[in-house]
Amino acid sequence: MAAEGDRIFVGKIVVGTDPNEELTKNDWAIVVDSHGIIKASGSSEHILSRFDGEIVKLGPYSILMPGFIDAHLHAPQFGNIGTHQDLPLLDWLTNYTFPIESKFSDKNFSEKMNAAVVRSTLSRGTTTACYFGTIYKDDAVALATQCAEQGQRAYVGKVNMDINPLATYYLEKSAESVVDTAWAAREIRGLGNSLVEPIITPRFAPSCSVSLMQSLGKMAKEQDMAIQTHISENEGEIQLMKERFPNDGYLDVYEKNGLVSDRCLLAHSIYLTESEKKKMAEKGASIVHCPDSNFALMSGVLDHQSATEANINVALGTDVAGGASASMVDAMRYAELASKINTINQKQTTSYLNFKKPFIYGTLNGAKALKIDDKTGSLEVGKEFDAVIADVSASLEPVFLDNDSPDELLERFVHCSDPRSITNVFVRGKQVFSS
Amino acid sequence: MAAEGDRIFVGKIVVGTDPNEELTKNDWAIVVDSHGIIKASGSSEHILSRFDGEIVKLGPYSILMPGFIDAHLHAPQFGNIGTHQDLPLLDWLTNYTFPIESKFSDKNFSEKMNAAVVRSTLSRGTTTACYFGTIYKDDAVALATQCAEQGQRAYVGKVNMDINPLATYYLEKSAESVVDTAWAAREIRGLGNSLVEPIITPRFAPSCSVSLMQSLGKMAKEQDMAIQTHISENEGEIQLMKERFPNDGYLDVYEKNGLVSDRCLLAHSIYLTESEKKKMAEKGASIVHCPDSNFALMSGVLDHQSATEANINVALGTDVAGGASASMVDAMRYAELASKINTINQKQTTSYLNFKKPFIYGTLNGAKALKIDDKTGSLEVGKEFDAVIADVSASLEPVFLDNDSPDELLERFVHCSDPRSITNVFVRGKQVFSS
């Protein structure tokens, strides 16, 4: 079978999706059609005898894998990336974060920075990103425009906050916040790029009035939008919530206002109670684990095991600039590290992770959180080709790799590659980055 | 003043050595003479009006800094880098580490791998490395030869182990171990390269007989050699020691056998008792903190604060392949992370580190551990020019960096640069790597 514009990728390919099984197949082949859809997958012998097309042969140390899904990051914080990580959450917001976010009212600054943000994440293999923007509607549109132009699949959220005692200069009026959110959503859809969508983005309950949350919950439902926010990241934040809502749990506040759906991404979720975990699982909402940030701001360490046992889907985020790395590979590494910290602390547990589960967190589980796992998150037939080619030998001397099984090569990629290894990035079949 | 072969490096330069003060100076200049010695340092205005020479002007996002001192790593484990990190120490040694180390009895394999190891570390800015080799004397010489040829300052240790119930195929006879160590030391000195020295390297007390340790202690004293070994890394290992030496503490065993000097580098040191800390400080021995490895093998988390309070010098190591990264920049990052984990765990402490102390751990403190801080570890007048030029904009979009102070740029380098940022590496004035 031959069709105009088909490409056949041949070599080591991550086709597995079960972290308890082999993820990477040797001598595999995937056929991608001219619309960017994966139309066949199988042993290279099988595929090459049945399909014609432009053959893309991977190098001996290269792996084709699903693109990464960064399920939580803040575009306007990239200017602070790797600096200002010496304070816990609320002080960090006050001293470093609100000041930089407030600069995005400047259109030129917003455009310049957002362009650089999308370049940064794409070049690290992030094919889908769930961005928090700022409170400025134009900034959200500028970010979405960059995603569309550079070809990244993205969810772009204008941030809502009508309460902010920490920085009164960075605050919206309630009604305006709702109107601006609706406007930004229309404008983003108006870009006419089916890869880029608006997402409802209340910063977190402490910064939102109940009426604002209600309006946002209503909008999410009426316009069938995904929702992202923060929960239970830090003990100071939780204390704030207890004072403001003495009769409700943190998750209750979101739920009562229509903000906990099966397309709801709740970043951090470190200090969830057992009943909150149960509720999240019932609702089909996802945890976005952000270990880099959780370490840097000394927020705490997610107990991934109890989240998994509660049947909650766990996705992964870089949480720049709480996290210092825009690389989802680093996020995977830190997720494994977080699990090992739990093992060190609790002694008795042996539930620490190897590289496989974090890899699934950062790919398929991100797609599941957004309910786009029919389109992306793995390299399965019928899905769109969101993919990364990684040459591990660009980071490590080839002689170290010579006896690797395909999964060992993937393990090295996760554990100790650097961005030099990301050689090609594709979204819906289109190459959006090459080194 | 002009002298043949002088170079003047001009730009942002890390000249500070006090982590409580500014480390990086703007518009600074350093004069390096043809022997690789730093002969002057001052504001660029001051220096350029007084010295002639080839001017090396750093780019706007580049920093000249002291080269990194990796005070603990295992050359023969690089073949396992980034894999096999799913078991605690003793099982890890048995299943993964002894098997790969035993391959270095093969001369061709040893030469090929050691060449790649030195390339790997040099290209990441490690100007001084304290290597553990294998039990094979020829392998130690092959490694030292590579260091000499590639221009790295190095301490190369033939490993001693005459007890090894975990892997009987990887074991020496006691007398042979001593003779081979003396032979390797002679051969290494015979290379005639003053940058490369042998170092006494009992693997750790559980793998050494008392008579072997005594002989090694004697050799260290007679030949004025530095000593490196492991201590108190893991609770299983400590239990082993208690069973074998019920009447002595772990450090006592080393001390009684002449192995605790002021040039003794004790890797890990996580579970030292208070009296052991006191003893180490008295003896002037150093801790080599290896956080990457300590996390990966779930060994524990060093309490850097109590080590510092006990006046023990803390150096830093990658501990490849317990650690997955050959980069001392990652080691610095993980040292900060370890301190933050302690803060998360203990709640009350506010002693977490920023980037500065780990930077000093990985440079000047390594030199102090080896008592070569008159020669290297910082860019001070009279020292040899062991240095790295790092272009932070090779890792991060320049627009993110535009308002950085020199120390903020250094902070970004430590927190989120990748190896692309290492553009030039010098040892004793000679460029040994450029990207």
Side-chain angles (χ1 to χ4, degrees), chain A residues 164-185:
Chain A
N164 190 7
L166 302 175
T168 50
Y169 59 86
Y170 190 60
L171 181 66
E172 307 170 283
K173 291 191 177 127
S174 309
E176 202 174 64
S177 182
V178 178
V179 170
D180 286 359
T181 302
W183 181 87

Side-chain angles (χ1 to χ4, degrees), chain B residues 76-315:
Chain B
Q77 296 175 15
F78 270 69
N80 280 349
I81 194 166
T83 58
H84 303 313
Q85 300 192 292
D86 57 341
L87 293 175
L89 180 65
L90 300 178
D91 295 330
W92 174 84
L93 285 168
T94 307
N95 288 283
Y96 307 132
T97 304
F98 295 141
I100 196 169
E101 290 197 9
S102 72
K103 290 189 189 172
F104 284 75
S105 58
D106 177 326
K107 188 166 178 286
N108 289 336
F109 185 74
S110 158
E111 285 176 0
K112 180 178 71 171
M113 294 297 269
N114 282 315
V117 167
V118 178
R119 277 198 302 275
S120 296
T121 55
L122 268 183
S123 67
R124 285 168 173 79
T126 298
T127 51
T128 300
C130 290
Y131 288 112
F132 277 59
T134 59
I135 60 173
Y136 309 114
K137 63 184 193 300
D138 290 322
D139 174 53
V141 177
L143 173 55
T145 302
Q146 280 302 323
C147 297
E149 285 181 3
Q150 296 190 44
Q152 189 171 50
R153 194 184 296 271
Y155 291 77
V156 176
K158 190 211 90 66
V159 165
N160 304 98
M161 40 196 305
D162 63 347
I163 298 175
N164 190 7
L166 301 175
T168 51
Y169 60 87
Y170 190 59
L171 180 66
E172 307 170 283
K173 293 192 174 126
S174 309
E176 201 174 64
S177 182
V178 178
V179 170
D180 285 359
T181 302
W183 181 87
R186 267 197 313 277
E187 290 290 312
I188 291 169
R189 291 196 196 98
L191 295 171
N193 185 315
S194 59
L195 293 170
V196 182
E197 285 189 28
I199 181 169
I200 292 292
T201 308
R203 180 170 216 113
F204 62 166
S207 75
C208 296
S209 67
V210 168
S211 72
L212 175 57
M213 287 190 275
Q214 274 174 351
S215 301
L216 295 173
K218 193 159 166 276
M219 196 184 301
K221 189 165 187 192
E222 287 172 356
Q223 302 191 19
D224 190 23
M225 289 167 80
I227 298 161
Q228 61 182 352
T229 188
H230 301 85
I231 194 169
S232 295
E233 174 176 2
N234 163 288
E235 293 177 333
E237 163 213 11
I238 291 170
Q239 190 52 39
L240 261 186
M241 283 298 288
K242 279 191 182 142
E243 286 161 18
R244 190 161 148 226
F245 299 97
N247 301 317
D248 286 313
Y250 203 153
L251 187 70
D252 292 333
V253 173
Y254 288 135
E255 200 212 345
K256 286 184 176 178
N257 294 298
L259 290 166
V260 184
S261 70
D262 65 353
R263 292 176 74 207
C264 174
L265 284 71
L266 290 163
H268 308 302
S269 303
I270 298 172
Y271 300 101
L272 293 181
T273 63
E274 288 310 308
S275 66
E276 284 177 320
K277 285 178 202 160
K278 199 161 162 245
K279 174 76 74 181
M280 269 189 76
E282 279 167 20
K283 290 281 182 176
S286 293
I287 288 175
V288 186
H289 181 25
C290 303
D292 184 2
S293 161
N294 296 161
F295 294 138
L297 305 186
M298 297 159 284
S299 303
V301 185
L302 176 75
D303 179 357
H304 74 94
Q305 190 183 7
S306 85
T308 304
E309 282 169 2
N311 287 314
I312 304 173
N313 180 56
V314 178

Side-chain angles (χ1 to χ4, degrees), chain A residues 26 66 169 184 188 216 378 380 411 428:
Chain A
N26 219 347
Y169 59 86
I188 291 170
L216 295 173
S378 61
E380 293 172 276
E411 184 180 17
R428 196 185 276 163

Side-chain angles (χ1 to χ4, degrees), chain A residues 183-356:
Chain A
W183 181 87
R186 269 198 312 278
E187 290 290 313
I188 291 170
R189 292 195 196 97
L191 295 171
N193 185 315
S194 60
L195 293 170
V196 182
E197 285 190 28
I199 181 169
I200 292 292
T201 308
R203 180 169 216 114
F204 61 166
S207 75
C208 296
S209 66
V210 167
S211 72
L212 175 57
M213 287 190 276
Q214 274 174 350
S215 301
L216 295 173
K218 192 159 166 276
M219 196 184 302
K221 189 165 188 190
E222 287 173 358
Q223 302 191 18
D224 190 23
M225 290 166 79
I227 299 161
Q228 60 182 352
T229 188
H230 301 86
I231 194 169
S232 295
E233 174 177 2
N234 162 288
E235 293 178 331
E237 163 213 11
I238 291 170
Q239 190 51 37
L240 261 185
M241 283 299 288
K242 279 192 182 142
E243 285 161 18
R244 192 163 146 223
F245 300 97
N247 301 318
D248 286 314
Y250 203 153
L251 187 70
D252 292 334
V253 173
Y254 289 135
E255 200 213 345
K256 285 185 176 176
N257 294 298
L259 290 166
V260 184
S261 70
D262 65 353
R263 292 176 74 208
C264 175
L265 284 71
L266 290 163
H268 308 301
S269 302
I270 298 172
Y271 300 101
L272 293 181
T273 63
E274 288 310 308
S275 66
E276 284 177 321
K277 284 178 202 160
K278 199 162 163 244
K279 174 76 74 181
M280 269 189 76
E282 279 167 22
K283 290 281 182 176
S286 293
I287 288 175
V288 186
H289 182 25
C290 303
D292 184 3
S293 162
N294 296 161
F295 294 138
L297 305 186
M298 296 160 284
S299 303
V301 185
L302 176 75
D303 179 358
H304 74 94
Q305 190 184 7
S306 85
T308 305
E309 282 169 3
N311 287 314
I312 304 172
N313 179 55
V314 178
L316 199 56
T318 60
D319 194 21
V320 172
S325 172
S327 161
M328 283 296 291
V329 185
D330 283 332
M332 293 172 191
R333 212 171 286 171
Y334 283 120
E336 184 174 335
L337 199 160
S339 79
K340 289 186 170 181
I341 295 294
N342 285 329
T343 297
I344 290 172
N345 285 344
Q346 296 163 31
K347 312 285 180 192
Q348 77 283 6
T349 172
T350 53
S351 67
Y352 53 86
L353 301 175
N354 64 22
F355 71 100
K356 291 184 181 180

